[in-house]
Amino acid sequence: MRGKPGRFVIDTHVHGQRHAVNFEANTGEANYGSLAGEMRTAVPADEADETDEAIVYKNTDRLTYDMDAYGVDRCLLLPGFGMSNRLNREMVEDHPDRFKAMAAPVKTMKNAIRGEEEYSYDAACEELDELLSQDAFVGIGEGLPCDPTVTEHVPWDRRRDQIRKVFDVAAKHDVPVSWHAGRATGYSGSGSTEGGSFPQYYPDWKDLSLVSELAAEYPDVSIMLNHGGMQGGWREDTVDTVCKVAARHDNVHFEIGLYWADLLKKPMDDPSIDLSQLLWGTDWGASIVAHSQPTKDPPIYWDQISERGLPAHQPDYWGTSLRQIEKYTWDEELPQDELNQILGGNACDLFGFEPPESRMFPEYL
């Protein structure tokens, strides 16, 4: 795109922290399976010592560099795979003009993994309630809280009751709650909570149509579907389900940042999906790379390609994502007003970001 892609640009899915993992101290193998396992209990760098096998630190400099390079005005920070709520809060406090953050019950999860406390959804919700009382946090995510020690299938009626507790906290604080809607193949089957047990044991990871039940039960709680059904790979069945759910419930929103140009046609061509339900969220900071296959369908997609090894660089999400959006925009003659709404206006409404001026996004009397 020439210059900034929009008037006020917000990525709603950013991981502003980075992991450093000592693979040799554990398995000696640097792969997606071992990475997923190590990241879960990473210790913030300023709390770590030489015995810690994984640390996590603020990646602010790289993030703000990319923001300046691509004209991204604001980022919503998500504490995925063992990242620290405290570090995200500090990033917001250091740069209140750039960041807001989602909250996750990271402490409750890590205590359970380490065997220090039995996992409790009441404890997870108490942690969320405390975090959401702080100004830095404006929602729950990434995804719904899950017990990382579970080793068997969780029936939907029991899981629904667990999710209700989380939605009650979201309703109390009047904030959105996110629901994970996508999978990257590198973590899948690894046995880790990030790619193995969550999709294996939790019905809400397997069947996204279940979102409809909570969306109907909690019509005043906004739901953000992380990844919009396309985190990795090219299979479109989860995207189809996301679109069906969003078409039925106007409190359901979803990210389209990892869609290729033709895939964007699915939500954009659906008359039952309103433009206000679409968000530009990419997964910046995650260990997923773009794969090009120009003579095939799709010509480009994101995934964890195991045979390449783990990416040691910072994958460039925004350049690739914005090129696909630009291709769709030019091919379909999308008005800039509508693109502005997707790239930033909807995030302002959903998460309370304040644009620099009024009347920047579509509004009619």
Side-chain angles (χ1 to χ4, degrees):
M1 288 189 172
R2 298 177 181 88
K4 282 188 63 174
R7 279 177 166 170
F8 192 64
V9 182
I10 302 170
D11 189 338
T12 60
H13 194 132
V14 170
H15 299 294
Q17 299 171 39
R18 184 82 171 175
H19 289 84
V21 179
N22 184 356
F23 291 105
E24 293 182 358
N26 187 12
T27 64
E29 298 180 7
N31 56 51
Y32 284 109
S34 59
L35 175 66
E38 291 292 338
M39 288 191 301
R40 296 179 303 160
T41 54
V43 178
D46 58 357
E47 301 175 7
D49 58 39
E50 64 276 4
T51 65
D52 291 305
E53 297 175 0
I55 65 171
V56 64
Y57 59 89
K58 289 182 280 190
N59 201 20
T60 312
D61 290 345
R62 289 189 185 92
L63 176 53
T64 54
Y65 179 91
D66 270 8
M67 292 176 74
D68 293 339
Y70 288 106
V72 176
D73 297 288
R74 304 286 187 272
C75 290
L76 184 65
L77 304 176
L78 275 61
F81 30 86
M83 292 179 179
S84 164
N85 287 299
R86 175 177 65 81
L87 294 185
N88 274 349
R89 188 193 70 234
E90 290 177 1
M91 290 180 68
V92 174
E93 291 171 347
D94 291 341
H95 299 276
D97 58 334
R98 292 202 167 199
F99 304 136
K100 292 181 182 288
M102 300 282 271
V106 177
K107 181 174 66 175
T108 303
M109 179 196 73
K110 289 185 178 182
N111 287 345
I113 294 173
R114 294 169 179 149
E116 298 171 0
E117 294 180 10
E118 184 177 351
Y119 191 90
S120 159
Y121 282 92
D122 288 336
C125 288
E126 288 176 8
E127 184 178 354
L128 287 172
D129 186 40
E130 179 182 354
L131 290 167
L132 290 169
S133 299
Q134 303 172 29
D135 291 339
F137 299 102
V138 295
I140 297 172
E142 174 181 8
L144 295 163
C146 296
D147 180 353
T149 65
V150 71
T151 57
E152 59 184 17
H153 174 73
V154 179
W156 173 236
D157 58 345
R158 175 156 40 113
R159 179 58 177 159
R160 184 173 53 216
D161 287 341
Q162 296 167 357
I163 294 173
R164 282 171 173 153
K165 292 177 183 286
V166 179
F167 271 66
D168 287 340
V169 176
K172 173 184 175 182
H173 291 274
D174 191 24
V175 297
V177 60
S178 68
W179 193 303
H180 203 275
R183 293 177 67 183
T185 60
Y187 294 144
S188 300
S190 67
S192 74
T193 55
E194 290 300 325
S197 63
F198 286 179
Q200 181 179 357
Y201 298 130
Y202 283 96
D204 48 298
W205 280 69
K206 295 180 183 179
D207 184 1
L208 293 177
S209 68
L210 297 174
V211 175
S212 283
E213 293 192 29
L214 277 300
E217 186 174 348
Y218 291 84
D220 295 327
V221 173
S222 294
I223 303 171
M224 179 174 71
L225 302 183
N226 300 132
H227 307 293
M230 187 53 68
Q231 180 186 20
W234 65 90
R235 295 171 180 86
E236 301 177 19
D237 54 320
T238 49
V239 175
D240 292 334
T241 304
V242 164
C243 289
K244 288 178 183 177
V245 170
R248 296 177 184 140
H249 306 280
D250 59 11
N251 60 328
V252 172
H253 310 260
F254 61 99
E255 299 165 346
I256 49 84
L258 298 186
Y259 285 18
W260 52 89
D262 281 348
L263 190 58
L264 283 165
K265 295 177 182 178
K266 286 197 172 184
M268 296 298 289
D269 291 348
D270 190 328
S272 296
I273 297 177
D274 192 77
L275 204 67
S276 64
Q277 295 174 269
L278 307 182
L279 300 162
W280 185 58
T282 63
D283 214 10
W284 192 102
S287 55
I288 306 176
V289 294
H291 176 62
S292 174
Q293 47 178 28
T295 62
K296 300 178 181 178
D297 184 27
I300 191 168
Y301 65 90
W302 293 86
D303 212 347
Q304 292 169 325
I305 313 296
S306 295
E307 64 183 18
R308 293 184 183 176
L310 295 176
H313 68 291
Q314 189 80 56
D316 191 335
Y317 279 82
W318 291 339
T320 301
S321 174
L322 291 171
R323 284 207 318 272
Q324 291 302 304
I325 292 175
E326 180 182 28
K327 184 177 187 302
Y328 173 85
T329 299
W330 281 100
D331 290 347
E332 301 297 321
E333 299 288 352
L334 184 70
Q336 186 65 39
D337 274 342
E338 296 184 13
L339 180 59
N340 287 342
Q341 186 174 347
I342 295 171
L343 290 179
N346 295 334
C348 287
D349 292 339
L350 198 58
F351 299 105
F353 287 99
E354 295 185 7
E357 300 290 344
S358 61
R359 298 188 289 131
M360 297 184 70
F361 305 111
E363 183 178 0
Y364 298 91
L365 299 177

